[in-house]
Amino acid sequence: MSLNEGFRVPPVKLVMDSVASENDVRPIRVFFIPFFATGHMIPLVDIARLFAARGVDSTVLVTPANAALIRATVDDAAASGLPLRTLVYPFPSSECGLPPGVENISALPPSDSYKIDVATPFARLEHERLLRLHHPDAVVADTHFPWTTYIARDLGVPRIAFQALGLFPVCVMGSVIRNRPHLATSGDNEPFLVPDLPHPVHLVLSELPDFIRGETIITGILQELAEAEKGSLGVVVNSFAEMEEAYAEYYHKVGSIRSWFVGPVALANADAKGLGARGGGDPVAAANRERCLSWLDAKEPKSVVYVCFGSWSHFRGEQLREMALGLEAAGHPFLWVVRDDVDEWMPDGFERRVAGRGLVVRGWAPQVAILAHAAVGGFVTHCGWNSVLEGVTAGLPMVTWPLSTEQFINEKLVVGVLRMGVRAAERPGSTAEEERPLVGAVELAKAVARVMGGGELAEAMRRRAREFGKMAKAAVTEGGSSYTGMSDVIDEIRKWHAERMSSAAAVIAA
């Protein structure tokens, strides 16, 4: 069944006078619908908070377990008098074979992550029920929920798509899907040029997202996702024009889709207490925050390497051991965040040898606060979009170690376009866990030395990183590009309703 089957586009309602007068006095109401992944959820909730700070009555639709992840941000906003709240709906656990309470991709191993994609279409009925019941003035929904375009159209309100990635990776993947340059290669590791982009970008087949390399659930709905995006008012993006403006222009040229940069949203919300309390209110998370920041307070400026691979990255014990030995050999103080569900991996005597110089944190850590700390001078990252943006915002050079999805493409932005990072390993990697090559301790130590050491190249990289950090901060201040982008999105919603009412009035007059 096509996405819009069963939906009708209603005629313009002619009884508009009372609605028009009501809209003159009440704030607009916008519903935000994040996808079931932490990397999608947190930035969209941050965007909802920014809407609320501009006087927009903002509601986040979220499932119970995911509500806990955003509760601190929402509660802090409400305590500050901002009109931000949640509306909870059930996660379709039984339909996808997940146990109750498992509602986020970060709670699953890679082998089971597809079950979230299986669950996603079953959320459609609840989305439709709540949108029809509450009838907001606009819907901002993750691109994973294409049916919200047609529900919004049926309700006579605009839908804005939320793109959890930057426009650079979106444009690169779009070109690969359209032009299929990877099919002309003779092997997984043969580089190919992605055509028609503002910058030259070379990739290899093994580093492409799984839904391009082969058939997945996402592969089967790519066309529907694209159609729903084109049917939206536009796309809101957690990025800033000074970093990606060429790709906003390209995106519009190729797809005739408007976009608004409103980020970095974590930076725009930097004064919110709830942002520092992320981790779902878990006492362990709170203790980790205190431990990390106290430890950093005792270190010299720009001396510490921060190492973190996000909420959905898994490593074999052998790779973790090489990572430990590489950080030890690099000789710089380091703060390293590892998952709390990994098996025994630590080399004999490692903690004793690095005592005082290295801090290993298990579970959640306050990444935004750590990256902003004066003691941190470099960032080893998996290149998830939020982490890339947070590294850029902090003005830090990066060691890139991508693992999955679009992360190898993000690496091209950091290393090749922005020129503020180096690769952890020069040989090709793979988005398939079973194909992932081992990155040795010597390779990692050399990469860390390239961003933390002396020399003209390292200093040039750090200088560019500082410049982009300043641009990111300027973007979200009043009058900046992203501050203006947020104003433009809200104005477009108001304009949409004003034009609709004007059309209705003209019909009545005729």
Side-chain angles (χ1 to χ4, degrees):
M1 182 175 72
S2 67
L3 277 172
N4 56 351
E5 184 177 337
F7 289 98
R8 59 180 178 83
V9 180
V12 176
K13 296 185 177 73
L14 301 183
V15 184
M16 299 294 293
D17 292 341
S18 63
V19 177
S21 60
E22 181 186 353
N23 282 343
D24 289 338
V25 296
R26 70 168 177 81
I28 59 173
R29 296 182 305 121
V30 178
F31 275 26
F32 299 81
I33 313 180
F35 182 57
F36 312 118
T38 304
H40 291 236
M41 190 164 299
I42 287 178
L44 187 53
V45 173
D46 284 349
I47 289 171
R49 193 185 196 282
L50 290 173
F51 268 71
R54 303 290 185 95
V56 174
D57 191 321
S58 304
T59 300
V60 182
L61 273 58
V62 66
T63 60
N66 288 313
L69 298 176
I70 64 172
R71 184 169 295 124
T73 299
V74 174
D75 287 352
D76 173 70
S80 301
L82 299 183
L84 178 64
R85 65 188 64 82
T86 58
L87 185 58
V88 178
Y89 66 95
F91 183 82
S93 301
S94 60
E95 289 85 349
C96 63
L98 287 173
V102 178
E103 303 173 4
N104 191 294
I105 201 167
S106 64
L108 293 165
S111 59
D112 285 340
S113 62
Y114 73 93
K115 293 181 180 179
I116 295 294
D117 290 327
V118 172
T120 299
F122 292 100
R124 174 176 176 166
L125 291 178
E126 280 296 312
H127 291 169
E128 182 171 5
R129 182 182 69 81
L130 292 172
L131 291 175
R132 291 189 182 281
L133 176 64
H134 295 278
H135 205 299
D137 298 308
V139 179
V140 181
D142 195 289
T143 55
H144 280 70
F145 302 135
W147 48 83
T148 54
T149 292
Y150 308 105
I151 297 172
R153 183 184 300 168
D154 198 38
L155 292 173
V157 301
R159 182 255 195 172
I160 296 168
F162 167 61
Q163 181 55 259
L165 309 180
L167 289 186
F168 176 87
V170 168
C171 291
V172 172
M173 289 187 290
S175 178
V176 172
I177 291 168
R178 286 191 307 274
N179 298 297
R180 305 174 73 80
H182 55 294
L183 298 184
T185 61
S186 59
D188 282 2
N189 295 330
E190 180 185 338
F192 60 86
L193 176 69
V194 182
D196 304 327
L197 295 174
H199 297 89
V201 175
H202 290 85
L203 293 168
V204 298
L205 179 63
S206 63
E207 295 178 342
L208 290 175
D210 59 352
F211 61 83
I212 297 178
R213 292 183 65 183
E215 292 293 324
T216 71
I217 294 172
I218 298 298
T219 308
I221 63 169
L222 285 174
Q223 186 60 40
E224 293 178 333
L225 296 177
E227 289 173 0
E229 203 162 287
K230 287 183 178 180
S232 301
L233 188 63
V235 179
V236 66
V237 186
N238 181 21
S239 186
F240 59 105
E242 291 78 3
M243 187 171 78
E244 290 201 291
E245 186 168 21
Y247 290 88
E249 294 171 357
Y250 175 89
Y251 189 62
H252 186 267
K253 181 182 73 173
V254 171
S256 299
I257 303 172
R258 288 187 294 177
S259 60
W260 298 278
F261 291 125
V262 298
V265 293
L267 181 59
N269 280 312
D271 293 333
K273 290 181 291 184
L275 302 185
R278 284 173 174 163
D282 181 2
V284 175
N288 280 353
R289 175 180 174 82
E290 176 62 28
R291 183 184 177 208
C292 290
L293 298 182
S294 297
W295 186 85
L296 288 171
D297 286 342
K299 301 304 175 187
E300 294 295 320
K302 300 298 180 185
S303 65
V304 175
V305 181
Y306 173 60
V307 185
C308 185
F309 295 89
S311 59
W312 193 46
S313 299
H314 295 255
F315 289 101
R316 300 187 304 271
E318 180 184 17
Q319 181 62 83
L320 289 170
R321 284 189 288 275
E322 288 294 316
M323 205 179 300
L325 295 173
L327 292 172
E328 180 181 2
H332 297 275
F334 62 88
L335 195 166
W336 180 17
V337 182
V338 298
R339 291 182 64 95
D340 57 5
D341 59 354
V342 295
D343 296 330
E344 190 63 36
W345 53 268
M346 194 173 289
D348 291 341
F350 173 72
E351 287 188 298
R352 173 179 51 79
R353 294 194 303 271
V354 301
R357 179 166 67 84
L359 177 64
V360 179
V361 177
R362 291 169 175 80
W364 181 87
Q367 178 159 295
V368 174
I370 290 170
L371 291 172
H373 197 284
V376 177
F379 182 19
V380 181
T381 173
H382 66 307
C383 293
W385 182 252
N386 292 328
S387 290
V388 166
L389 196 60
E390 288 161 7
V392 170
T393 297
L396 295 174
M398 295 177 241
V399 174
T400 59
W401 191 330
L403 300 168
S404 64
T405 54
E406 89 299 344
Q407 293 164 11
F408 288 93
I409 298 172
N410 295 340
E411 178 183 62
K412 302 298 181 182
L413 176 67
V414 173
V415 176
V417 177
L418 306 181
R419 294 182 296 123
M420 53 180 287
V422 301
R423 301 182 65 177
E426 289 303 322
R427 64 189 182 283
S430 176
T431 51
E433 185 177 16
E434 64 275 10
E435 299 173 358
R436 201 175 291 164
L438 185 73
V439 178
V442 173
E443 290 176 285
L444 177 58
K446 287 181 178 178
V448 170
R450 290 177 65 191
V451 299
M452 297 294 290
E456 184 177 340
L457 292 177
E459 182 50 44
M461 192 186 311
R462 288 192 286 265
R463 183 173 60 252
R464 285 190 293 272
R466 289 193 298 269
E467 290 170 354
F468 276 107
K470 291 177 182 176
M471 287 187 278
K473 293 177 176 66
V476 298
T477 58
E478 187 169 355
S481 59
S482 291
Y483 185 95
T484 302
M486 177 63 68
S487 299
D488 289 345
V489 176
I490 296 171
D491 287 346
E492 283 293 329
I493 296 171
R494 295 186 187 279
K495 179 181 176 183
W496 194 96
H497 282 284
E499 290 178 350
R500 183 169 179 267
M501 291 173 187
S502 177
S503 297
V507 171
I508 293 172

